[in-house]
């Protein structure tokens, strides 16, 4: 009897260790991390006549995923970063003045590809959606705008058991701004019309 119980326990442990990502399951992940803000090039906004940077700042949000198979997952991400604009370069002492506030909200859908079935599951993810950019600049009339965004990421899921785990994730976002060039014919400037930034986040996984 003891041998039977021992074998049953081993089989249970082996099943838990080898089948962490399961077909037909949902994964909910609240996360928190840090976003590297990127820049708005000269000519890409009407609020500033020069290039401005977006300050690096904390970010937070949640992801909800559905495992179509153990290797393929559909995910939705919603996140928010309350950051601010800063001047590019800084003054003679190296500081960068704050020029106004900026809230960045991402709402994105992803195709996530999991590799492996053990407790540690690396993955890559590719997605797209929208970014809502909401500036608040003293003395300037502004309004929020929504722009298309593409994203690429990779990370690692580590399952303590089939229903609970940890997730470590890194993503890059590229948001389309505009296609007009405000630079003069004899004025050199960066003609980029995209906001590119990225983040590193960590969170917990609730799988059911």
């Amino acid at each position: 009897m003891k041998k039977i119980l021992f074998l049953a326990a081993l089989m249970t442990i082996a099943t838990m260790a080898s089948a962490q990502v399961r077909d037909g399951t949902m994964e909910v992940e609240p996360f928190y991390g840090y976003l590297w803000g990127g820049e708005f090039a000269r000519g890409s906004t009407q609020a500033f006549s020069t290039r401005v940077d977006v300050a690096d700042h904390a970010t937070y949000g949640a992801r909800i995923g559905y495992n179509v198979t153990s290797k393929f997952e559909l995910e939705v991400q919603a996140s928010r970063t309350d950051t601010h604009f800063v001047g590019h370069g800084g003054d003679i002492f190296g500081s960068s003045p704050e020029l106004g506030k900026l809230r960045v909200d991402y709402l994105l859908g992803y195709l996530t590809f999991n590799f492996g079935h053990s407790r540690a599951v690396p993955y890559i993810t590719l997605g797209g959606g929208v970014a809502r950019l909401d500036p608040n600049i003293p003395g300037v009339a502004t309004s929020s705008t929504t722009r298309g965004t593409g994203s690429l990421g990779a990370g690692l899921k580590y399952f303590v058991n089939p229903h609970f785990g940890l997730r470590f994730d890194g993503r890059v976002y590229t948001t389309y701004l505009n296609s007009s060039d405000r630079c003069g014919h004899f004025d050199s400037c960066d003609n980029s019309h995209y906001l590119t930034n990225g983040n590193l986040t960590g969170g917990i996984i609730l799988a059911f």
Side-chain angles (χ1 to χ4, degrees):
M1 186 63 181
K2 291 183 178 179
K3 290 183 178 180
I4 294 175
L5 292 175
F6 180 71
L7 290 174
L10 286 179
M11 292 178 64
T12 301
I13 294 172
T15 300
M16 291 175 61
S18 63
Q20 305 299 326
V21 177
R22 296 160 293 148
D23 300 4
T25 57
M26 299 285 295
E27 293 182 3
V28 178
E29 181 216 351
F31 64 84
Y32 187 86
Y34 198 72
L35 180 130
W36 284 265
E39 67 180 53
F40 287 87
R42 181 176 184 179
S44 63
T45 75
Q46 296 182 357
F48 300 103
S49 59
T50 62
R51 165 184 166 178
V52 293
D53 295 340
V54 179
D56 303 339
H57 208 277
T59 186
Y60 61 94
R63 301 184 182 101
I64 299 177
Y66 175 74
N67 290 299
V68 180
T69 71
S70 61
K71 296 183 179 180
F72 175 62
E73 181 180 6
L74 298 175
E75 281 193 291
V76 175
Q77 171 186 311
S79 63
R80 169 164 290 181
T81 307
D82 287 307
T83 182
H84 52 270
F85 299 101
V86 292
H88 178 64
D91 61 20
I92 60 173
F93 298 107
S95 62
S96 296
E98 181 178 331
L99 305 175
K101 298 184 182 301
L102 175 66
R103 170 170 288 178
V104 182
D105 292 326
Y106 287 121
L107 180 60
L108 302 163
Y110 285 91
L111 305 178
T112 299
F113 301 91
N114 300 306
F115 302 97
H117 299 83
S118 63
R119 291 182 181 272
V121 180
Y123 63 87
I124 59 173
T125 188
L126 175 67
V130 295
R132 182 175 180 268
L133 308 174
D134 189 4
N136 184 356
I137 304 168
V140 179
T142 60
S143 60
S144 64
T145 185
T146 301
R147 292 288 187 267
T149 299
S151 179
L152 179 66
L156 178 71
K157 302 176 184 179
Y158 181 81
F159 288 89
V160 178
N161 60 52
H163 302 288
F164 179 80
L166 303 175
R167 184 169 180 174
F168 306 95
D169 186 279
R171 304 198 179 203
V172 175
Y173 308 91
T174 299
T175 300
Y176 173 79
L177 297 176
N178 60 36
S179 58
S180 63
D181 186 0
R182 298 176 58 208
C183 302
H185 292 294
F186 303 101
D187 189 12
S188 62
C189 64
D190 188 348
N191 293 321
S192 173
H193 303 295
Y194 294 86
L195 171 65
T196 299
N197 50 28
N199 64 19
L200 291 175
T201 62
I204 61 172
I205 301 172
L206 304 175
F208 52 92

